[in-house]
């Protein structure tokens, strides 16, 4: 559950350890896909809040974050651009951000993780 478009680096890949829009394999992540569909800026509130959430609340969850980096680009590539699931993904991301805004970080995590679990089951 990497939440956004952060692509972690390792000694054998060329990705930076910053907030790139794409993974080392060129795949886009779920939140990035949604904000791009909406025309939001990369440094807009949605990605900024979720990046901060990833870097703070999820800092001690490297296994979950790593799994997200593996599955999210595959999920994005699997869902047709005009599929209704994109509307649902946007709703789940908005709900996660609302939970963050309310200080309910556990619910933000559960919402996003549940979204990824469902998408992984349905699309991979």
């Amino acid at each position: 559950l990497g939440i956004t478009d952060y692509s972690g680096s390792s000694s054998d890949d060329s990705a930076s350890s910053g907030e790139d829009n794409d993974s080392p394999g060129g795949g886009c992540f779920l939140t990035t896909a949604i904000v791009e569909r909406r025309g939001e800026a990369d440094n807009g509130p949605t990605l900024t809040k979720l990046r901060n959430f990833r870097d703070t609340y999820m800092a001690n969850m490297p296994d979950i974050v790593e799994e997200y980096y593996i599955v999210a680009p595959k999920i994005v590539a699997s869902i047709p651009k005009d599929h209704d699931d994109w509307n649902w993904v946007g709703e789940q991301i908005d709900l996660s951000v609302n939970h963050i805004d309310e200080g309910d970080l556990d619910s933000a995590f559960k919402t996003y993780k549940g979204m990824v679990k469902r998408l992984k089951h349905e699309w991979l």
Side-chain angles (χ1 to χ4, degrees), residues 26-43:
C28 189
F29 291 82
L30 292 163
T31 304
T32 302
I34 291 299
V35 300
E36 287 176 357
R37 290 171 71 88
R38 294 175 175 173
E40 293 179 28
D42 182 72
N43 62 351

Side-chain angles (χ1 to χ4, degrees), residues 52-69:
N52 182 61
F53 178 75
R54 174 202 64 212
D55 293 342
T56 56
Y57 181 89
M58 298 188 66
N60 295 319
M61 303 179 189
D63 293 343
I64 293 172
V65 173
E66 183 178 340
E67 179 188 358
Y68 177 80
Y69 298 152

Side-chain angles (χ1 to χ4, degrees), residues 29-108:
F29 291 82
L30 292 163
T31 304
T32 302
I34 291 299
V35 300
E36 287 176 357
R37 290 171 71 88
R38 294 175 175 173
E40 293 179 28
D42 182 72
N43 62 351
T46 302
L47 282 173
T48 299
K49 288 175 186 181
L50 288 170
R51 285 177 178 142
N52 182 61
F53 178 75
R54 174 202 64 212
D55 293 342
T56 56
Y57 181 89
M58 298 188 66
N60 295 319
M61 303 179 189
D63 293 343
I64 293 172
V65 173
E66 183 178 340
E67 179 188 358
Y68 177 80
Y69 298 152
I70 294 167
V71 301
K74 294 175 185 177
I75 292 168
V76 171
S78 297
I79 304 172
K81 293 187 185 304
D82 60 349
H83 197 280
D84 285 344
D85 270 6
W86 284 116
N87 295 326
W88 180 80
V89 170
E91 291 168 3
Q92 297 306 298
I93 288 170
D94 291 343
L95 183 57
S96 295
V97 170
N98 288 340
H99 287 312
I100 291 167
D101 288 344
E102 295 168 356
D104 188 355
L105 303 183
D106 291 339
S107 291

